[in-house]
Amino acid sequence: MKKFVVAALGGTLAGFLATTQVAGPLLAQESARQSNVYEQLDLFGDIFERIRAQYVEDVDEGDLIEAAINGMLTSLDPHSSYLSPDDAAQMRVQTRGEFGGLGIEVTQEEGFVKVVSPIDGTPADSAGIEAGDFITHVDGESVLGFTLSEAVDLMRGPVGSEIIITIAREGEAEPFDVSIIRDTIKLTAVRARTEGETVVLRVTTFNDQTYPNLKAGLEEQIEEAGGMDNVNGIVVDLRNNPGGLLNQAIRVSDAFLEKGEIVSTRGRDPADGDRYNANPGDLANGKPIVVLINGGSASASEIVAGALQDHRRAIVVGTKSFGKGSVQTVMPLRGEGAMRLTTARYYTPSGRSIQALGVSPDIIVEQPRRTQAEEEEATTRSQRTEADLRGSLNNDSLSEDEIRQIEEDRVKAEAAAKLREDDYQLAYAIDILKGLSALGPKQ
């Protein structure tokens, strides 16, 4: 019995020693880490005071602190940043669909400012700015080494004022200047039209109006076509769409899905993850869908494309998307400022992360770039036919109704050919839907 008690006491002592040996170093490491943090904060305070006292000019303490905060955030990734009260107010206005500027979504890549995409119908779009362009100078001042927010501030200015930006573009031997007149940017989230028997939904951004605009536009086009039976399919055009609100991407995806997961988000803590599922109901009534994407399709656009692709609800056509698979949370701060912080990655229904990889199309279709000579040739090309020749014979073998039908078919064919010249990717998408319609409904 004594041996048992001694052995038990020995085991307890050994357990205590083992716990002490493990916990001791861990506590010491944690204490050292905390001590190091406080030393770094003391260093920050020391540098701050020396700048205030010894810098060659008087400095604004508030500006110094804002710069330090922004530097801390921008060191994390290209999408985390500090928003001053003015920037935070402008961001709130932008999500409602109207703001002043050039009309481009930008990011930062290896110290350079890169265009994610120009926004349809904006000064930047009209000036020919393209997704993938690098902005090297603004009004002659180099932006290399600037933070993204500093570069954006440099591009802002009064509505109606001119700005000269220098662009470096792949395929161009030298950088070139582009003049843009700043304007009020009014975003039309969705533009709906019909090409032949296909409804085309051009989604330019994901703001508060995106889903309502999409639903109303689709319903209007279906009504004008005389009902869904006269529609062969839908093209959802997400090219050069830089993204926006996560909830709107979910609603747009849900519009065409009957069930299943749309997207999931996962943060550092697994408990903070969320999954978003579709509700019953399909605005397209099961009609085939083609989604168009390119290198300017980012963030919320990639959520929609990835969800519809994974559920085999749509054929994705175009070129690889931008690859922004992270979620930013805007957190209000004291003084009416805000912090945009990357808090999670998002994943498509199949569990793939799009971060840095993008969505790969089911069918890769490049948009051919026409040279100036080709543009001139297209406008001057002769369209003369036999019917244009003086004294040509009439066709007496057809009735007036048959001739009218032939003319209508010719007009449709010419419109399709013109669309193929103007927008090859969209024409390709419409051709896919024509082919699917010709095969008839699935049995």
Side-chain angles (χ1 to χ4, degrees):
M1 184 64 180
K2 289 181 179 180
K3 289 183 180 178
F4 176 77
V5 172
V6 170
L9 289 171
T12 302
L13 181 60
F16 174 76
L17 290 172
T19 303
T20 304
Q21 288 171 355
V22 172
L26 289 177
L27 291 172
Q29 288 175 14
E30 179 64 19
S31 177
R33 190 180 70 84
Q34 291 289 345
S35 176
N36 186 53
V37 168
Y38 289 125
E39 286 177 6
Q40 294 293 318
L41 289 173
D42 286 342
L43 176 61
F44 172 81
D46 184 32
I47 292 172
F48 177 76
E49 289 299 331
R50 290 193 183 205
I51 291 172
R52 282 209 310 173
Q54 298 178 17
Y55 186 64
V56 65
E57 296 175 355
D58 286 337
V59 293
D60 186 294
E61 292 90 343
D63 290 344
L64 271 182
I65 293 171
E66 280 193 7
I69 294 170
N70 197 46
M72 178 168 53
L73 287 165
T74 56
S75 71
L76 301 173
D77 64 76
H79 307 294
S80 296
S81 62
Y82 171 72
L83 300 173
S84 66
D86 287 344
D87 291 340
Q90 185 170 1
M91 185 207 67
R92 287 190 288 271
V93 170
Q94 184 169 339
T95 59
R96 292 196 295 269
E98 182 173 328
F99 58 98
L102 305 180
I104 50 176
E105 178 80 8
V106 293
T107 187
Q108 201 157 33
E109 189 172 293
E110 297 179 1
F112 292 95
V113 177
K114 183 178 182 180
V115 176
V116 175
S117 67
I119 300 169
D120 282 3
T122 62
D125 182 43
S126 301
I129 303 300
E130 297 181 4
D133 284 347
F134 285 92
I135 299 173
T136 63
H137 294 74
V138 174
D139 287 331
E141 183 176 354
S142 173
V143 296
L144 182 62
F146 280 32
T147 65
L148 189 59
S149 60
E150 288 171 340
V152 169
D153 285 342
L154 203 59
M155 288 186 277
R156 288 180 180 148
V159 169
S161 61
E162 182 186 28
I163 180 175
I164 306 292
I165 60 174
T166 305
I167 296 293
R169 178 178 294 167
E170 185 178 355
E172 297 289 341
E174 297 290 337
F176 55 92
D177 291 340
V178 178
S179 171
I180 305 177
I181 304 298
R182 297 179 178 95
D183 199 359
T184 299
I185 309 302
K186 295 182 179 179
L187 297 181
T188 303
V190 181
R191 294 185 178 94
R193 71 182 196 273
T194 299
E195 292 281 351
E197 297 178 350
T198 303
V199 175
V200 179
L201 300 173
R202 172 72 181 123
V203 185
T204 60
T205 188
F206 286 88
N207 62 25
D208 289 336
Q209 300 304 311
T210 301
Y211 175 75
N213 287 174
L214 180 137
K215 184 175 185 291
L218 177 57
E219 290 174 348
E220 181 182 351
Q221 295 303 310
I222 291 171
E223 183 179 350
E224 289 181 3
M228 187 60 87
D229 289 342
N230 298 321
V231 173
N232 65 11
I234 296 168
V235 174
V236 180
D237 187 355
L238 298 176
R239 291 173 299 174
N240 293 332
N241 183 323
L245 301 177
L246 174 64
N247 71 321
Q248 290 293 310
I250 292 167
R251 294 190 73 187
V252 169
S253 302
D254 193 2
F256 303 112
L257 293 172
E258 291 280 4
K259 61 181 180 178
E261 184 178 299
I262 294 171
V263 66
S264 63
T265 62
R266 304 176 203 170
R268 184 166 65 182
D269 185 350
D272 292 336
D274 285 307
R275 292 182 183 275
Y276 302 90
N277 296 309
N279 298 300
D282 177 2
L283 293 182
N285 290 338
K287 290 284 184 175
I289 298 172
V290 172
V291 174
L292 281 175
I293 61 171
N294 65 4
S297 307
S299 191
S301 298
E302 295 171 293
I303 290 175
V304 175
L308 297 182
Q309 184 182 54
D310 280 3
H311 284 286
R312 300 186 181 276
R313 181 65 187 90
I315 300 170
V316 178
V317 172
T319 55
K320 187 169 73 71
S321 63
F322 185 76
K324 181 182 178 292
S326 59
V327 179
Q328 282 70 48
T329 302
V330 178
M331 306 173 183
L333 301 173
R334 66 184 69 179
E336 298 186 357
M339 172 174 65
R340 183 192 284 115
L341 186 67
T342 299
T343 53
R345 288 182 172 89
Y346 68 74
Y347 295 80
T348 70
S350 64
R352 57 184 167 139
S353 170
I354 292 165
Q355 179 60 29
L357 295 176
V359 174
S360 295
D362 299 305
I363 304 173
I364 296 176
V365 179
E366 298 278 353
Q367 185 81 301
R369 229 181 237 171
R370 296 173 69 181
T371 64
Q372 186 174 351
E374 288 172 333
E375 293 281 358
E376 293 172 356
E377 181 185 351
T379 56
T380 59
R381 188 183 299 144
S382 173
Q383 296 293 327
R384 288 173 63 82
T385 66
E386 169 72 16
D388 297 318
L389 299 178
R390 183 182 300 175
S392 62
L393 297 175
N394 292 326
N395 189 319
D396 59 359
S397 66
L398 299 173
S399 67
E400 289 186 4
D401 287 341
E402 288 173 327
I403 292 173
R404 189 181 303 112
Q405 184 62 50
I406 289 172
E407 289 297 330
E408 289 176 359
D409 291 343
R410 179 180 296 140
V411 168
K412 289 180 181 178
E414 288 174 353
K418 184 178 186 306
L419 179 62
R420 198 167 286 109
E421 287 189 355
D422 294 342
D423 191 340
Y424 181 76
Q425 289 175 323
L426 177 58
Y428 195 104
I430 291 172
D431 285 344
I432 290 173
L433 293 174
K434 285 180 182 176
L436 292 173
S437 176
L439 291 174
K442 293 180 180 179
Q443 300 299 321

PDB file of all heavy atoms in Angstrom, residues 53 68 71 83 101-102 126 135 142 152 242 255 265 276 316 341 358 373 376 397 403 417:
ATOM      1  N   ALA A  53       8.949  67.105 -33.409  1.00  0.00           N
ATOM      2  CA  ALA A  53       9.884  68.087 -32.847  1.00  0.00           C
ATOM      3  C   ALA A  53      10.991  68.478 -33.812  1.00  0.00           C
ATOM      4  O   ALA A  53      11.459  69.627 -33.785  1.00  0.00           O
ATOM      5  CB  ALA A  53      10.494  67.527 -31.559  1.00  0.00           C
ATOM      6  N   ALA A  68       0.168  56.494 -40.756  1.00  0.00           N
ATOM      7  CA  ALA A  68       0.679  55.308 -40.063  1.00  0.00           C
ATOM      8  C   ALA A  68      -0.359  54.190 -40.060  1.00  0.00           C
ATOM      9  O   ALA A  68      -0.049  53.014 -40.298  1.00  0.00           O
ATOM     10  CB  ALA A  68       1.083  55.671 -38.637  1.00  0.00           C
ATOM     11  N   GLY A  71      -0.652  52.830 -43.568  1.00  0.00           N
ATOM     12  CA  GLY A  71       0.520  51.998 -43.879  1.00  0.00           C
ATOM     13  C   GLY A  71       0.425  50.624 -43.247  1.00  0.00           C
ATOM     14  O   GLY A  71       0.797  49.616 -43.862  1.00  0.00           O
ATOM     15  N   LEU A  83      -9.986  54.438 -44.409  1.00  0.00           N
ATOM     16  CA  LEU A  83     -10.832  55.398 -45.114  1.00  0.00           C
ATOM     17  C   LEU A  83     -11.035  56.609 -44.220  1.00  0.00           C
ATOM     18  O   LEU A  83     -11.602  56.491 -43.126  1.00  0.00           O
ATOM     19  CB  LEU A  83     -12.192  54.763 -45.449  1.00  0.00           C
ATOM     20  CG  LEU A  83     -12.160  53.514 -46.344  1.00  0.00           C
ATOM     21  CD1 LEU A  83     -13.563  52.908 -46.445  1.00  0.00           C
ATOM     22  CD2 LEU A  83     -11.648  53.849 -47.736  1.00  0.00           C
ATOM     23  N   GLY A 101     -15.724  61.076 -60.640  1.00  0.00           N
ATOM     24  CA  GLY A 101     -14.429  60.458 -60.929  1.00  0.00           C
ATOM     25  C   GLY A 101     -14.247  60.129 -62.387  1.00  0.00           C
ATOM     26  O   GLY A 101     -14.881  60.706 -63.268  1.00  0.00           O
ATOM     27  N   LEU A 102     -13.361  59.153 -62.640  1.00  0.00           N
ATOM     28  CA  LEU A 102     -13.018  58.751 -64.005  1.00  0.00           C
ATOM     29  C   LEU A 102     -13.829  57.556 -64.473  1.00  0.00           C
ATOM     30  O   LEU A 102     -14.070  57.393 -65.670  1.00  0.00           O
ATOM     31  CB  LEU A 102     -11.520  58.401 -64.092  1.00  0.00           C
ATOM     32  CG  LEU A 102     -10.526  59.456 -63.624  1.00  0.00           C
ATOM     33  CD1 LEU A 102      -9.106  58.939 -63.782  1.00  0.00           C
ATOM     34  CD2 LEU A 102     -10.712  60.748 -64.379  1.00  0.00           C
ATOM     35  N   SER A 126     -14.902  55.681 -72.352  1.00  0.00           N
ATOM     36  CA  SER A 126     -14.923  56.419 -73.616  1.00  0.00           C
ATOM     37  C   SER A 126     -13.513  56.736 -74.104  1.00  0.00           C
ATOM     38  O   SER A 126     -13.273  56.806 -75.313  1.00  0.00           O
ATOM     39  CB  SER A 126     -15.722  57.718 -73.457  1.00  0.00           C
ATOM     40  OG  SER A 126     -17.046  57.450 -73.055  1.00  0.00           O
ATOM     41  N   ILE A 135      -1.299  52.178 -64.882  1.00  0.00           N
ATOM     42  CA  ILE A 135      -1.190  53.641 -64.831  1.00  0.00           C
ATOM     43  C   ILE A 135       0.156  53.975 -64.200  1.00  0.00           C
ATOM     44  O   ILE A 135       0.406  53.643 -63.038  1.00  0.00           O
ATOM     45  CB  ILE A 135      -2.340  54.251 -64.014  1.00  0.00           C
ATOM     46  CG1 ILE A 135      -3.682  53.910 -64.679  1.00  0.00           C
ATOM     47  CG2 ILE A 135      -2.168  55.762 -63.886  1.00  0.00           C
ATOM     48  CD1 ILE A 135      -4.888  54.323 -63.856  1.00  0.00           C
ATOM     49  N   SER A 142       4.878  60.522 -61.397  1.00  0.00           N
ATOM     50  CA  SER A 142       4.941  59.068 -61.285  1.00  0.00           C
ATOM     51  C   SER A 142       4.182  58.599 -60.054  1.00  0.00           C
ATOM     52  O   SER A 142       4.257  59.209 -58.981  1.00  0.00           O
ATOM     53  CB  SER A 142       6.394  58.610 -61.196  1.00  0.00           C
ATOM     54  OG  SER A 142       6.472  57.216 -60.932  1.00  0.00           O
ATOM     55  N   VAL A 152      -5.192  56.996 -55.976  1.00  0.00           N
ATOM     56  CA  VAL A 152      -6.601  57.321 -56.249  1.00  0.00           C
ATOM     57  C   VAL A 152      -6.874  58.785 -55.926  1.00  0.00           C
ATOM     58  O   VAL A 152      -7.560  59.488 -56.683  1.00  0.00           O
ATOM     59  CB  VAL A 152      -7.534  56.387 -55.445  1.00  0.00           C
ATOM     60  CG1 VAL A 152      -8.977  56.880 -55.509  1.00  0.00           C
ATOM     61  CG2 VAL A 152      -7.443  54.958 -55.981  1.00  0.00           C
ATOM     62  N   PRO A 242     -16.159  45.088 -62.023  1.00  0.00           N
ATOM     63  CA  PRO A 242     -15.172  44.959 -60.940  1.00  0.00           C
ATOM     64  C   PRO A 242     -15.730  44.412 -59.640  1.00  0.00           C
ATOM     65  O   PRO A 242     -14.982  44.217 -58.684  1.00  0.00           O
ATOM     66  CB  PRO A 242     -14.699  46.400 -60.748  1.00  0.00           C
ATOM     67  CG  PRO A 242     -15.873  47.228 -61.155  1.00  0.00           C
ATOM     68  CD  PRO A 242     -16.537  46.483 -62.274  1.00  0.00           C
ATOM     69  N   ALA A 255     -31.131  34.279 -58.416  1.00  0.00           N
ATOM     70  CA  ALA A 255     -32.176  34.543 -59.410  1.00  0.00           C
ATOM     71  C   ALA A 255     -32.296  33.422 -60.434  1.00  0.00           C
ATOM     72  O   ALA A 255     -33.366  33.216 -61.008  1.00  0.00           O
ATOM     73  CB  ALA A 255     -31.887  35.871 -60.124  1.00  0.00           C
ATOM     74  N   THR A 265     -17.992  31.669 -47.229  1.00  0.00           N
ATOM     75  CA  THR A 265     -16.862  32.500 -46.815  1.00  0.00           C
ATOM     76  C   THR A 265     -16.203  31.868 -45.597  1.00  0.00           C
ATOM     77  O   THR A 265     -16.889  31.333 -44.722  1.00  0.00           O
ATOM     78  CB  THR A 265     -17.307  33.930 -46.473  1.00  0.00           C
ATOM     79  OG1 THR A 265     -18.229  33.903 -45.375  1.00  0.00           O
ATOM     80  CG2 THR A 265     -17.972  34.591 -47.665  1.00  0.00           C
ATOM     81  N   TYR A 276     -24.090  30.496 -48.008  1.00  0.00           N
ATOM     82  CA  TYR A 276     -25.290  31.119 -48.549  1.00  0.00           C
ATOM     83  C   TYR A 276     -25.901  30.182 -49.588  1.00  0.00           C
ATOM     84  O   TYR A 276     -25.220  29.762 -50.531  1.00  0.00           O
ATOM     85  CB  TYR A 276     -24.944  32.465 -49.189  1.00  0.00           C
ATOM     86  CG  TYR A 276     -24.291  33.424 -48.215  1.00  0.00           C
ATOM     87  CD1 TYR A 276     -22.900  33.456 -48.067  1.00  0.00           C
ATOM     88  CD2 TYR A 276     -25.057  34.291 -47.439  1.00  0.00           C
ATOM     89  CE1 TYR A 276     -22.296  34.332 -47.175  1.00  0.00           C
ATOM     90  CE2 TYR A 276     -24.465  35.170 -46.536  1.00  0.00           C
ATOM     91  CZ  TYR A 276     -23.079  35.180 -46.408  1.00  0.00           C
ATOM     92  OH  TYR A 276     -22.491  36.041 -45.529  1.00  0.00           O
ATOM     93  N   VAL A 316     -19.917  29.171 -69.122  1.00  0.00           N
ATOM     94  CA  VAL A 316     -19.097  30.366 -68.943  1.00  0.00           C
ATOM     95  C   VAL A 316     -18.167  30.506 -70.148  1.00  0.00           C
ATOM     96  O   VAL A 316     -17.419  29.581 -70.484  1.00  0.00           O
ATOM     97  CB  VAL A 316     -18.293  30.307 -67.628  1.00  0.00           C
ATOM     98  CG1 VAL A 316     -17.411  31.541 -67.473  1.00  0.00           C
ATOM     99  CG2 VAL A 316     -19.246  30.191 -66.435  1.00  0.00           C
ATOM    100  N   LEU A 341     -11.060  46.031 -44.143  1.00  0.00           N
ATOM    101  CA  LEU A 341     -10.154  44.962 -43.726  1.00  0.00           C
ATOM    102  C   LEU A 341     -10.559  43.646 -44.382  1.00  0.00           C
ATOM    103  O   LEU A 341     -11.734  43.275 -44.393  1.00  0.00           O
ATOM    104  CB  LEU A 341     -10.191  44.806 -42.204  1.00  0.00           C
ATOM    105  CG  LEU A 341      -9.188  43.823 -41.586  1.00  0.00           C
ATOM    106  CD1 LEU A 341      -7.767  44.332 -41.763  1.00  0.00           C
ATOM    107  CD2 LEU A 341      -9.503  43.607 -40.107  1.00  0.00           C
ATOM    108  N   GLY A 358      -8.741  32.979 -60.340  1.00  0.00           N
ATOM    109  CA  GLY A 358      -9.834  33.389 -61.195  1.00  0.00           C
ATOM    110  C   GLY A 358     -10.738  32.233 -61.584  1.00  0.00           C
ATOM    111  O   GLY A 358     -10.512  31.084 -61.222  1.00  0.00           O
ATOM    112  N   ALA A 373      -6.450  50.058 -89.417  1.00  0.00           N
ATOM    113  CA  ALA A 373      -6.629  49.777 -90.846  1.00  0.00           C
ATOM    114  C   ALA A 373      -7.849  48.893 -91.076  1.00  0.00           C
ATOM    115  O   ALA A 373      -8.621  49.098 -92.024  1.00  0.00           O
ATOM    116  CB  ALA A 373      -5.380  49.100 -91.405  1.00  0.00           C
ATOM    117  N   GLU A 376     -11.017  50.977 -90.712  1.00  0.00           N
ATOM    118  CA  GLU A 376     -11.284  51.799 -91.895  1.00  0.00           C
ATOM    119  C   GLU A 376     -11.796  50.950 -93.046  1.00  0.00           C
ATOM    120  O   GLU A 376     -12.702  51.352 -93.784  1.00  0.00           O
ATOM    121  CB  GLU A 376     -10.007  52.548 -92.303  1.00  0.00           C
ATOM    122  CG  GLU A 376      -9.590  53.604 -91.277  1.00  0.00           C
ATOM    123  CD  GLU A 376      -8.234  54.204 -91.586  1.00  0.00           C
ATOM    124  OE1 GLU A 376      -7.594  53.728 -92.560  1.00  0.00           O
ATOM    125  OE2 GLU A 376      -7.823  55.143 -90.878  1.00  0.00           O
ATOM    126  N   SER A 397     -39.861  34.708-109.533  1.00  0.00           N
ATOM    127  CA  SER A 397     -40.258  33.368-109.104  1.00  0.00           C
ATOM    128  C   SER A 397     -40.796  33.336-107.688  1.00  0.00           C
ATOM    129  O   SER A 397     -41.226  32.282-107.212  1.00  0.00           O
ATOM    130  CB  SER A 397     -39.068  32.407-109.218  1.00  0.00           C
ATOM    131  OG  SER A 397     -38.049  32.787-108.298  1.00  0.00           O
ATOM    132  N   ILE A 403     -40.543  37.197-100.686  1.00  0.00           N
ATOM    133  CA  ILE A 403     -39.470  38.196-100.814  1.00  0.00           C
ATOM    134  C   ILE A 403     -39.303  38.959 -99.495  1.00  0.00           C
ATOM    135  O   ILE A 403     -38.182  39.212 -99.036  1.00  0.00           O
ATOM    136  CB  ILE A 403     -39.776  39.167-101.970  1.00  0.00           C
ATOM    137  CG1 ILE A 403     -39.688  38.434-103.320  1.00  0.00           C
ATOM    138  CG2 ILE A 403     -38.817  40.359-101.946  1.00  0.00           C
ATOM    139  CD1 ILE A 403     -40.142  39.258-104.496  1.00  0.00           C
ATOM    140  N   ALA A 417     -23.939  39.488 -88.290  1.00  0.00           N
ATOM    141  CA  ALA A 417     -22.571  39.665 -88.788  1.00  0.00           C
ATOM    142  C   ALA A 417     -21.937  40.923 -88.211  1.00  0.00           C
ATOM    143  O   ALA A 417     -20.755  40.935 -87.853  1.00  0.00           O
ATOM    144  CB  ALA A 417     -22.584  39.720 -90.316  1.00  0.00           C
TER     145      ALA A 417
END
